Amino acid sequence: MLHARTSVQDRRRRLRAGLASGNLLRLPGAFSPLVAREIEAQGFEGVYISGAVLAADLGLPDIGLTTLTEVAQRGHQIARVTNLPALIDADTGFGEPMNAARCVQVLEDLGLAGCHLEDQVNPKRCGHLDNKAVVPTSEMVRRLKAAVSARRDPDFVLCARTDARALEGLDGAIARAQAYVDAGADLIFAEALADEREIEAFRRAVSAPLLINMTEFGKSRLLPADTLRNLGVNVVIYPVTTLRLAMGAVTAGLATVKAAGTQESLLDAMQHRKDLYRLLAYEEYGVFDENVFNFKV
């Protein structure tokens, strides 16, 4: 009620323990605090906050137009309402290595459990589009070392994402990931791998925990959680799934309202008021208020 009941430190330790457990952590994307509450209610292990989704929610393409302030504040709003650890997409760190260092400290202060930084050129683009560009490995290593040196809470998870698979091949992406682990990355995000064979090769070659992106309509084959678990993947994210589900329903629903002049036929597809109130812990607010406002003038 009002906010998460667990401390930020507990959530960060929970994420770290999950990475070390050998189990698969499933992190659906949350584009709002309310969605994060539902992710927790459904029993997932964490929440993912996608930069592409936050940009889309602002009516912007995923080409590096959002700012640290916009991303961090939305991340804070989402992280504060769930007891699950929240991992946030920090793009390229919003500038030079010093910007990446500041980014990490801002996200620490706002209650995130971890973030990932990528090796794309700034401004970046969606990892499943063509014509990406990556910085030299040495530059990404500088970016990561700056982030590691700026981190004050050792439990805050720093994830390094490489977009090099499409540009330098699988071997090139693996070599980069190994360099990023040496630079201090706690978790490796191998973006846009094609299939099980490539995931298996990455798992064999990289010692750090591995994150795989199961986004729809992209370059990666969509694999079941059991398959990913058997491949030794530590984290799977579903970054845009909830937004796509929501916008699909919004588009179809508005078309029905426009054509029929009423939403009556859509009621069975809607979240009921009582279910929304349950998700919001509506009754708890009343109990809390009665317990506090219990005096007479």
Side-chain angles (χ1 to χ4, degrees):
M1 201 271 295
L2 296 177
H3 46 70
R5 298 182 185 277
T6 57
S7 70
V8 172
Q9 194 66 49
D10 285 344
R11 280 172 266 158
R12 289 175 183 164
R13 288 172 180 162
R14 183 175 174 182
L15 178 57
R16 286 235 170 230
L19 294 179
S21 69
N23 296 323
L24 179 68
L25 307 181
R26 301 160 299 166
L27 277 60
F31 60 88
S32 75
L34 185 62
V35 174
R37 293 288 292 267
E38 183 61 34
I39 290 169
E40 180 176 347
Q42 292 286 345
F44 287 94
E45 292 78 31
V47 169
Y48 179 70
I49 304 167
S50 161
V53 167
L54 297 190
D57 198 42
L58 292 171
L60 298 170
D62 183 24
I63 54 173
L65 294 175
T66 51
T67 66
L68 170 60
T69 299
E70 289 171 320
V71 171
Q73 287 301 321
R74 180 61 67 89
H76 172 59
Q77 292 166 353
I78 291 171
R80 71 179 294 277
V81 303
T82 175
N83 295 296
L84 297 177
L87 177 70
I88 192 167
D89 177 358
D91 285 348
T92 61
F94 303 97
E96 297 300 312
M98 190 173 292
N99 298 91
R102 177 173 182 257
C103 171
V104 166
Q105 293 193 345
V106 168
L107 297 176
E108 278 186 314
D109 290 343
L110 293 179
L112 282 303
C115 73
H116 67 74
L117 299 168
E118 66 195 54
D119 56 9
Q120 281 199 52
V121 170
N122 190 36
K124 52 75 57 80
R125 62 171 55 215
C126 172
H128 287 256
L129 294 180
D130 295 326
N131 301 318
K132 296 184 293 184
V134 293
V135 298
T137 302
S138 58
E139 185 171 336
M140 179 60 176
V141 165
R142 287 178 58 234
R143 190 177 289 170
L144 285 171
K145 286 185 174 180
V148 170
S149 66
R151 175 175 56 187
R152 294 154 298 177
D153 182 354
D155 286 322
F156 184 87
V157 171
L158 284 172
C159 175
R161 167 176 148 178
T162 180
D163 284 73
R165 166 64 186 88
L167 298 158
E168 300 175 359
L170 185 63
D171 290 343
I174 288 173
R176 281 176 172 265
Q178 291 167 334
Y180 302 163
V181 173
D182 291 341
D186 304 304
L187 174 66
I188 291 296
F189 179 170
E191 179 64 301
L193 299 186
D195 52 28
E196 295 99 319
R197 181 189 64 82
E198 294 195 354
I199 294 173
E200 189 175 27
F202 234 94
R203 177 68 289 165
R204 285 198 308 267
V206 178
S207 60
L210 180 63
L211 182 153
I212 294 296
N213 181 4
M214 287 287 99
T215 193
E216 306 82 13
F217 317 116
K219 295 184 179 296
S220 300
R221 179 184 172 193
L222 297 180
L223 300 172
D226 284 345
T227 299
L228 294 170
R229 187 178 292 110
N230 291 336
L231 288 168
V233 173
N234 303 87
V235 182
V236 57
I237 58 171
Y238 308 95
V240 197
T241 304
T242 58
L243 179 69
R244 289 186 172 123
L245 288 169
M247 289 306 298
V250 167
T251 300
L254 290 176
T256 297
V257 172
K258 182 179 179 183
T262 175
Q263 73 274 44
E264 187 171 1
S265 67
L266 300 171
L267 294 180
D268 288 343
M270 291 185 183
Q271 183 185 52
H272 196 281
R273 182 198 301 268
K274 62 180 173 56
D275 295 321
L276 174 61
Y277 285 1
R278 185 183 305 114
L279 189 59
L280 294 172
Y282 207 108
E283 290 185 2
E284 291 185 29
Y285 283 81
V287 172
F288 180 87
D289 187 56
E290 290 175 2
N291 290 335
V292 174
F293 191 75
N294 58 1
F295 60 90
K296 294 182 179 180
V297 178

